[in-house]
Amino acid sequence: MYVFGIEELFWAVLVFVAIHYWRLNRNTPMTKWPVLGMLPGLLHNVSNIHGYVDLTLKQNGGTFIFEGPWLTNMNILCTSDPMNVQHITSTKFENYGKGNDFREIFEVLGEGIFRSDSHIWKYNRKLLHSIFKQGNFQVFIQKTVEKKICNYLLVFLDHASKNGVQVDLQDIFQRLTFDNICSVVLGFDPKCLSIDLPEIPCERAFTQAEDTLFIRHVKPKLLWKLQNWFQVGEEKQFIKNNKFIDEMLYSEIKSKREMRGEQKVDLLDIIINEVGDGENKIDDKFLRDTSINLLAAGRDTISSGLTWFFWLVATHPLIEAKILEEIKENLPSREHSWKDLGAKGLSKLVYLHGALCEALRLYPPIPFEHKSAQKSDVLPSGHRVESNTMIVYSLYSVGRVEEIWGEDCLEFKPERWISQKGGIVYVPSYKFIAFNAGPRSCLGKDISFIEMKMVAIAILLNYHIQVVEDHPIIPSLSVVLHMKHGLKVNLKKRSI
């Protein structure tokens, strides 16, 4: 007679427990397993992570606690409750910083504005705010964007249109915005966007680094730290990319030090010549950290927002027609181009502004944010937060809360942003949170809207965009809400 051994009995019990837990929790998005916690469910649904988290939040009243495997310290409080978001970002702002987990994952950002806390963050924000509000710096940004659109973007799209070439708009926007932000921050144009679409190593390094940063969120800290230590897996490439980016940045900083005193208006020159008083007050590490933070923000957030906006507009022809009508009504005359709108003309495009807000509401470029409680606290939802607890609020889910946006919250409706008097409807930042909320609200919000409007107007006036049939539109697994397969489109020249 066959006698079961210890190993067979162990696996039989394990399978029985697994089936038992599955039957008890098969209708629950976040099943808690013995030893492994809720990690298996998260990994199983990682390809649709934002939708999965959104569904779980809705089924738990807007807030739930993710419990990771034993001994991994992966317990996370997740929320999309707007009152919790306001509490964390504004009411009790001083109690909620980035925390150690965020700082370890995003170590590449150094002590820049997005990774720092306390007095370092305050100094960074005050410095950048003083530069952003300078009139000559704002004019410099608009002229830089305008030049890039005219001399590169429209030239490339015209070439693609004439030759019947399919275009990946996401790739084009990433190239465009990387060129723009390098020009604005560093004062040089890497020329990623040109007819032959060259592969630029520094631009590719940023993309690959983002992928690794996302993986660090779903992989136990001990594991990715070991990979980093032994330089294996994606962490090996991450180290190489960081080294390459640092070499590029320090080379530019050195060049600017040597040319100190020349009258330029890019951000690094302003810091070195007007703020830093040379090498005495601002060191190279500070300039490097400031640069990499702004390069990441200026490239990815705007390119993501534009990509989702053009997909939504291309699949909603009535909305596209209304945007075009509004643009043409505000042009000085039919003979004038989109460049003649100017800042005042851009501010009059209410429907376009509403359409951009809708795209950012549904598909925020940064889909989730980290916080960590310094002291124990109780959220408005009633959930108790212990000190050092990691908190994640889902910007993606906040944009889909029915209590804020109504039963039609999944629809693309620019009209929801327009008042009866024809102005823009004000929505508090803790509800429309694409640009974050509270003291950490995005300093470049107004600049971002100007750049997105300029690009949108230039393209829509000149081309009709049609998404390639059956092209899959799926969010990528990244810390930035890109499209996994890009946005493949065909272009048809308009007759204006």
Side-chain angles (χ1 to χ4, degrees):
M1 185 175 71
Y2 181 78
V3 178
F4 288 107
I6 296 296
E7 184 176 345
E8 288 89 347
L9 286 173
F10 170 78
W11 285 109
V13 171
L14 187 63
V15 170
F16 173 79
V17 171
I19 293 173
H20 176 69
Y21 262 79
W22 176 81
R23 292 182 64 185
L24 287 177
N25 300 281
R26 60 183 180 273
N27 296 319
T28 304
M30 285 288 185
T31 301
K32 182 181 176 183
W33 296 84
V35 182
L36 298 177
M38 297 177 178
L39 186 60
L42 180 67
L43 295 177
H44 179 69
N45 291 278
V46 73
S47 61
N48 182 35
I49 186 67
H50 304 299
Y52 179 62
V53 170
D54 183 47
L55 174 62
T56 305
L57 285 166
K58 281 181 168 60
Q59 293 188 350
N60 287 273
T63 304
F64 77 94
I65 297 176
F66 173 85
E67 297 184 40
W70 293 356
L71 307 176
T72 61
N73 194 30
M74 282 185 69
N75 291 1
I76 305 169
L77 186 144
C78 303
T79 188
S80 62
D81 185 326
M83 294 298 101
N84 285 348
V85 173
Q86 183 185 34
H87 182 87
I88 294 165
T89 60
S90 300
T91 309
K92 290 292 186 71
F93 171 75
E94 296 295 338
N95 190 47
Y96 294 93
K98 290 295 185 179
N100 292 331
D101 290 310
F102 182 95
R103 290 177 60 81
E104 289 182 333
I105 291 173
F106 289 90
E107 60 188 340
V108 65
L109 297 180
E111 294 301 325
I113 190 170
F114 298 123
R115 183 173 175 264
S116 57
D117 280 323
S118 189
H119 66 281
I120 299 177
W121 168 78
K122 290 179 180 178
Y123 177 78
N124 274 294
R125 188 172 179 89
K126 183 178 179 181
L127 172 62
L128 293 176
H129 178 69
S130 68
I131 296 174
F132 283 5
K133 71 178 182 180
Q134 292 181 13
N136 62 333
F137 186 66
Q138 294 176 5
V139 171
F140 168 66
I141 292 175
Q142 291 186 43
K143 291 296 183 183
T144 299
V145 174
E146 181 183 300
K147 180 180 178 182
K148 196 69 188 181
I149 291 173
C150 292
N151 297 342
Y152 293 88
L153 176 62
L154 293 180
V155 171
F156 173 84
L157 296 180
D158 192 52
H159 169 80
S161 174
K162 287 179 179 178
N163 292 278
V165 177
Q166 282 187 5
V167 172
D168 180 358
L169 273 187
Q170 177 169 264
D171 178 49
I172 299 307
F173 291 146
Q174 286 180 319
R175 291 170 178 271
L176 171 73
T177 54
F178 190 70
D179 285 349
N180 281 335
I181 196 61
C182 283
S183 298
V184 168
V185 175
L186 304 175
F188 91 100
D189 183 352
K191 292 183 172 59
C192 298
L193 179 55
S194 58
I195 296 295
D196 57 343
L197 297 181
E199 185 174 278
I200 306 297
C202 59
E203 197 267 346
R204 185 183 69 247
F206 268 90
T207 299
Q208 292 176 342
E210 285 176 5
D211 297 337
T212 304
L213 291 174
F214 176 82
I215 293 171
R216 287 183 174 187
H217 284 81
V218 296
K219 184 178 288 186
K221 184 194 299 184
L222 178 61
L223 181 55
W224 69 256
K225 277 186 169 291
L226 285 173
Q227 286 184 308
N228 186 275
W229 178 266
F230 290 108
Q231 297 190 24
V232 296
E234 65 275 355
E235 291 289 334
K236 179 179 180 180
Q237 187 62 45
F238 186 70
I239 292 171
K240 290 182 179 179
N241 288 331
N242 291 348
K243 183 179 179 181
F244 184 86
I245 292 170
D246 279 353
E247 288 175 353
M248 178 197 75
L249 292 177
Y250 281 118
S251 174
E252 287 300 315
I253 291 167
K254 180 181 178 181
S255 175
K256 289 191 176 298
R257 294 283 196 198
E258 293 171 351
M259 295 187 297
R260 182 174 173 247
E262 294 186 12
Q263 292 297 316
K264 293 185 178 181
V265 288
D266 61 78
L267 190 134
L268 272 192
D269 276 313
I270 292 174
I271 294 177
I272 292 174
N273 294 323
E274 298 182 17
V275 181
D277 189 25
E279 300 181 20
N280 296 324
K281 294 183 180 178
I282 300 293
D283 60 21
D284 287 358
K285 176 65 165 55
F286 177 86
L287 294 172
R288 176 264 178 206
D289 292 349
T290 299
S291 298
I292 197 171
N293 278 252
L294 295 179
L295 290 179
R299 168 190 183 253
D300 295 312
T301 55
I302 295 175
S303 65
S304 171
L306 283 170
T307 302
W308 290 104
F309 167 80
F310 273 95
W311 172 65
L312 289 166
V313 170
T315 53
H316 292 78
L318 292 179
I319 292 175
E320 179 187 35
K322 289 182 180 180
I323 294 173
L324 276 169
E325 181 182 3
E326 180 184 59
I327 294 171
K328 291 176 180 178
E329 286 178 352
N330 283 277
L331 285 175
S333 72
R334 283 197 172 275
E335 289 73 29
H336 288 74
S337 73
W338 60 273
K339 295 183 292 182
D340 298 316
L341 279 168
K344 289 185 178 179
L346 291 176
S347 67
K348 295 178 181 178
L349 302 178
V350 176
Y351 196 81
L352 173 59
H353 189 91
L356 286 167
C357 288
E358 271 292 87
L360 294 169
R361 174 183 72 84
L362 289 166
Y363 300 100
I366 306 299
F368 55 86
E369 281 281 356
H370 284 202
K371 292 291 182 180
S372 179
Q374 296 183 18
K375 300 178 182 178
S376 35
D377 190 20
V378 178
L379 299 178
S381 62
H383 290 80
R384 181 170 179 79
V385 178
E386 301 298 336
S387 60
N388 297 319
T389 297
M390 181 189 288
I391 298 172
V392 170
Y393 53 92
S394 170
L395 287 73
Y396 182 92
S397 296
V398 172
R400 288 165 162 73
V401 175
E402 288 189 12
E403 290 75 12
I404 300 174
W405 307 106
E407 294 181 358
D408 62 352
C409 61
L410 298 183
E411 296 181 26
F412 179 55
K413 289 180 61 176
E415 290 81 5
R416 78 174 80 242
W417 293 90
I418 303 172
S419 68
Q420 293 182 347
K421 294 182 179 180
I424 295 295
V425 172
Y426 169 74
V427 179
S429 59
Y430 62 89
K431 294 181 179 179
F432 176 50
I433 198 170
F435 294 94
N436 218 329
R440 279 192 180 265
S441 292
C442 177
L443 285 169
K445 177 180 177 180
D446 293 338
I447 295 172
S448 298
F449 269 119
I450 288 174
E451 182 171 352
M452 287 191 289
K453 287 176 182 178
M454 292 173 70
V455 173
I457 294 166
I459 293 179
L460 291 175
L461 273 179
N462 287 282
Y463 305 97
H464 171 67
I465 294 173
Q466 184 176 24
V467 179
V468 172
E469 188 174 356
D470 297 327
H471 177 66
I473 303 296
I474 305 169
S476 64
L477 301 181
S478 175
V479 291
V480 179
L481 199 63
H482 297 305
M483 291 183 179
K484 183 177 181 180
H485 304 289
L487 179 58
K488 300 292 181 63
V489 303
N490 292 309
L491 301 167
K492 183 179 180 182
K493 186 76 174 178
R494 292 189 197 274
S495 55
I496 303 177

